[in-house]
Amino acid sequence: GPTRRVVDQVRVAGARRQGMPKDALLAPSQREALAHRLYPFAPGIPPVDLEQLMLLHAFEELLNRAQPERRGSWSFSERTFRERIPAELLPQTLEAALRSEAFVSTAHIPRHDALLVALHYRSPACRVMWHAWRGDLHSEPTADRWQTGLFTTPTFNDWAQVFGGRSGEAPQAARIIDGMDAREFGYCATFEKLATPSDGSVIIVTKMESGLSRSFPEPSNDSPFAEADVDRAERKSVLDDAASSATGLTLAAPKAALQDPAARVRAARCDVPPKRSARFGRIIKDV
């Protein structure tokens, strides 16, 4: 029924091979042969313990990629216990774990045709960090979302001004929900600040925005520069820097910046206040 179709669209790491190749990269016999090739190099370690150590090392590498600022500080050598979760209980287990609103990082291990799922907080102890997610028509010009996502319908004004369509090189959405006004339902964004005090708790403050309060920027008294004037000013600035510091700078960098289509789209965009904004905070503490 309809409920089942909605549930089938929910994306959870590992469910229905999400985050994994559609088909296993290696046959079962190939995976078994790869495992036996490693055992002779550690004759004093039982195969089960060796596989456990390799999985722990894979988790360390996964978190090193997810948090490069903490590279080298991950050590799971003391994690000696493993809990097997029955397949029918995996969705409930993941749902309960995701309530903590942690970051989710995954990695596929071809040797086991398994998906590693790590839930972690990016901010180290006694630190504060923030991140932002901007979707729909706020998406980056080079994002794959333009080919796979659903988009609301912009009017000409917000398409030209806020979306950056006046640059002439804005990306085209593959799927648009006809009649759903982007000024009401589009331009969604989430900003999140995370703090981790020394007592082990996690404080998360989230601000969610959607819609546009207006579809064009406020008038400004600033004199607009033509692109040729900007190009000329950048060229003169680079020449002055090269002459004064003898650094050997060339005109390639500013020229390349002007020729980047994605950069021109970003430059053509403008920020306007959202139509709706909500802010809420919560404290997560392991008691």
Side-chain angles (χ1 to χ4, degrees):
T3 303
R4 184 62 185 177
R5 290 198 297 269
V6 171
V7 173
D8 288 341
Q9 297 302 316
V10 176
R11 296 189 177 185
V12 180
R16 298 183 295 276
R17 296 191 66 87
Q18 291 183 17
M20 305 170 63
K22 184 177 180 180
D23 299 310
L25 300 180
L26 301 173
S29 57
Q30 292 176 308
R31 297 199 295 269
E32 185 176 357
L34 283 176
H36 285 284
R37 289 179 60 184
L38 296 172
Y39 298 155
F41 294 97
I45 303 177
V48 175
D49 293 343
L50 183 60
E51 292 292 341
Q52 175 74 2
L53 291 174
M54 294 183 65
L55 282 176
L56 292 178
H57 178 71
F59 271 111
E60 292 174 356
E61 290 296 317
L62 169 61
L63 290 173
N64 281 332
R65 292 193 298 269
Q67 299 191 21
E69 71 276 5
R70 301 174 68 181
R71 176 174 292 275
S73 63
W74 299 100
S75 178
F76 298 152
S77 59
E78 297 181 355
R79 304 201 176 197
T80 57
F81 295 93
R82 180 194 302 182
E83 179 184 1
R84 292 187 177 273
I85 302 173
E88 61 272 13
L89 298 180
L90 180 61
Q92 295 93 316
T93 304
L94 285 175
E95 188 271 337
L98 291 172
R99 290 178 188 172
S100 62
E101 301 189 54
F103 290 98
V104 180
S105 297
T106 61
H108 179 245
I109 306 297
R111 286 184 60 252
H112 298 282
D113 190 32
L115 185 71
L116 303 183
V117 181
L119 277 67
H120 58 97
Y121 294 106
R122 187 71 180 267
S123 177
C126 304
R127 303 280 184 87
V128 176
M129 66 160 295
W130 72 276
H131 72 280
W133 174 86
R134 298 171 72 90
D136 193 61
L137 297 170
H138 274 318
S139 300
E140 277 293 305
T142 56
D144 296 335
R145 195 177 295 123
W146 293 104
Q147 301 301 322
T148 59
L150 289 174
F151 293 83
T152 52
T153 305
T155 64
F156 176 78
N157 278 341
D158 60 279
W159 174 84
Q161 301 289 339
V162 183
F163 175 58
R166 60 193 174 94
S167 68
E169 297 171 310
Q172 299 294 322
R175 301 180 184 90
I176 293 180
I177 305 176
D178 190 27
M180 183 171 284
D181 194 341
R183 296 171 299 178
E184 292 288 335
F185 307 104
Y187 298 99
C188 300
T190 300
F191 305 90
E192 197 166 74
K193 181 177 287 187
L194 184 147
T196 51
S198 58
D199 62 353
S201 60
V202 178
I203 304 173
I204 304 176
V205 178
T206 301
K207 180 181 180 183
M208 306 183 74
E209 299 177 349
S210 64
L212 298 176
S213 59
R214 57 177 181 269
S215 56
F216 48 85
E218 289 185 347
S220 172
N221 291 326
D222 296 337
S223 300
F225 281 5
E227 183 172 319
D229 296 334
V230 175
D231 190 14
R232 191 179 306 111
E234 288 185 342
R235 288 174 180 270
K236 184 178 184 302
S237 176
V238 171
L239 289 175
D240 291 344
D241 290 343
S244 61
S245 60
T247 56
L249 295 177
T250 66
L251 301 178
K255 192 64 178 177
L258 289 175
Q259 291 178 349
D260 182 12
R264 284 199 289 269
V265 173
R266 296 188 194 98
R269 292 181 174 181
C270 66
D271 290 327
V272 298
K275 187 165 189 176
R276 288 174 295 274
S277 178
R279 188 192 304 267
F280 57 95
R282 54 260 188 232
I283 300 176
I284 303 171
K285 191 173 180 63
D286 189 8
V287 294

